[in-house]
Amino acid sequence: MQIAWLISYVNGLPQPDRSYTMCRILECLMSNAVATNDSSMEYAVINFYTKFTVTAWNKAQKQMANSGVPFELCRQVFEVLGLVRKYPGANVKSRKMLVSLVERLMDDIQPVSESNAELQSNKAIPNIITSIRATLEELKQQPDSDHSLKQLLKWLKWLFSCLSAHHSHGQPAPDQSPYYHCSEDCECYQRNKHGMRMFIHDVEKCKIIDCLIIAAVSDADSMMSNIARELLERYPVNFCLRAVQWLHNSDYAYLRFCLFDAIRFAKQTNT
């Protein structure tokens, strides 16, 4: 996924807005990738994260510390999720390393969840960690169990949602998703991928803006709403609608863009 336009936008922001925006955008992209299993969004997360220095992310994470939830743990769960998806094609040694990696991550998360005031209020986390540990034991006994692997992925997704700073008070069940995006596995994406490359780039912009809009509205986050609004000023809603209208599952995205633009216009009219 081509996200140079997004990097350019973030780099143009002053501090401390830049640090907060980096983390919120990364979190939105991660949440979208986890909910949709969209490999292109997962690549966007990796691309976005690696385009900024370690120093920049350390500064950004200090900004997010005010949220009460360790941002880095959330990112690590996302990273482990991506690795666990590769479990079926891994050899015996790599599978054991993946299981050990998840165990170490649970060892890191458990004491934080017990001592962090924000995480203590989420009673689901201890049960999820227990379920993950039990599933790991099942994978040790039956390394080829598809059921155990699917359960592990479900619980890791739910844990990610619990740790996410802006989604920790009403996380969805493992199978639920508010997203309706086209992904690389969709027939329409494959049909247009080679013949209409510029079209696909436009759709990619829309997918990112769409997940920011969802976060802005669902979290009532004025900062994220401003980010989405500024991006829509650079890439007008008509541009977005033209790009997504050819996708088979675009109706929800189409409506979200229209409604968000209407809300934006109403707020401008009342100010």
Side-chain angles (χ1 to χ4, degrees):
M1 184 178 285
Q2 305 297 317
I3 61 169
W5 58 276
L6 186 60
I7 304 297
S8 175
Y9 166 77
V10 173
N11 282 330
L13 296 174
Q15 290 289 13
D17 290 351
R18 184 190 307 166
S19 293
Y20 180 81
T21 301
M22 284 169 57
C23 287
R24 282 298 281 128
I25 287 179
L26 184 68
E27 185 183 43
C28 288
L29 296 180
M30 289 192 299
S31 297
N32 183 279
V34 168
T36 61
N37 293 322
D38 187 341
S39 58
S40 65
M41 289 300 287
E42 186 175 343
Y43 175 77
V45 171
I46 298 170
N47 199 3
F48 186 82
Y49 186 79
T50 55
K51 284 296 187 294
F52 299 98
T53 64
V54 174
T55 302
W57 281 114
N58 287 338
K59 184 184 295 184
Q61 287 162 28
K62 289 178 182 178
Q63 287 286 114
M64 292 295 285
N66 296 329
S67 69
V69 180
F71 175 82
E72 179 60 17
L73 286 182
C74 185
R75 193 194 66 79
Q76 287 180 24
V77 172
F78 175 84
E79 197 172 72
V80 165
L81 258 170
L83 293 173
V84 171
R85 287 196 186 98
K86 300 177 181 178
Y87 182 92
N91 57 36
V92 175
K93 182 179 179 181
S94 296
R95 287 183 172 186
K96 289 181 179 179
M97 291 175 63
L98 283 172
V99 169
S100 297
L101 180 64
V102 178
E103 285 179 328
R104 290 199 300 272
L105 182 59
M106 295 306 103
D107 291 340
D108 291 340
I109 292 175
Q110 188 161 3
V112 176
S113 68
E114 294 170 352
S115 61
N116 183 284
E118 180 76 11
L119 297 183
Q120 280 179 340
S121 64
N122 193 323
K123 303 304 181 182
I125 293 178
N127 293 331
I128 294 171
I129 292 176
T130 299
S131 297
I132 288 175
R133 292 188 187 279
T135 306
L136 291 173
E137 290 301 318
E138 291 176 6
L139 276 177
K140 288 179 182 179
Q141 299 298 321
Q142 296 179 302
D144 295 323
S145 172
D146 290 336
H147 173 73
S148 296
L149 179 60
K150 289 177 180 178
Q151 288 297 111
L152 179 59
L153 288 169
K154 286 183 180 180
W155 290 120
L156 284 172
K157 287 182 179 182
W158 202 357
L159 181 60
F160 171 87
S161 181
C162 289
L163 292 175
S164 177
H166 294 264
H167 301 86
S168 57
H169 298 293
Q171 62 281 350
D175 284 328
Q176 294 178 331
S177 169
Y179 299 94
Y180 301 89
H181 285 310
C182 183
S183 70
E184 289 189 351
D185 295 329
C186 292
E187 183 178 323
C188 56
Y189 188 100
Q190 294 297 328
R191 185 174 62 249
N192 295 309
K193 183 175 182 179
H194 300 292
M196 303 175 67
R197 191 60 199 168
M198 187 59 68
F199 166 80
I200 292 298
H201 288 169
D202 291 345
V203 171
E204 289 170 347
K205 286 187 179 72
C206 295
K207 287 171 68 174
I208 288 178
I209 295 174
D210 189 30
C211 75
L212 300 183
I213 287 175
I214 291 172
V217 175
S218 62
D219 295 340
D221 188 335
S222 58
M223 180 74 171
M224 186 54 60
S225 182
N226 289 336
I227 294 170
R229 188 180 66 250
E230 289 177 7
L231 289 174
L232 279 177
E233 289 173 355
R234 295 188 178 202
Y235 307 98
V237 68
N238 289 337
F239 163 90
C240 296
L241 296 180
R242 185 174 64 250
V244 302
Q245 66 180 335
W246 300 106
L247 303 180
H248 76 273
N249 55 357
S250 65
D251 290 347
Y252 292 97
Y254 189 97
L255 291 173
R256 280 194 294 268
F257 277 113
C258 290
L259 287 171
F260 186 81
D261 194 55
I263 294 171
R264 178 176 61 128
F265 178 77
K267 288 182 177 179
Q268 288 177 345
T269 303
N270 292 330
T271 55

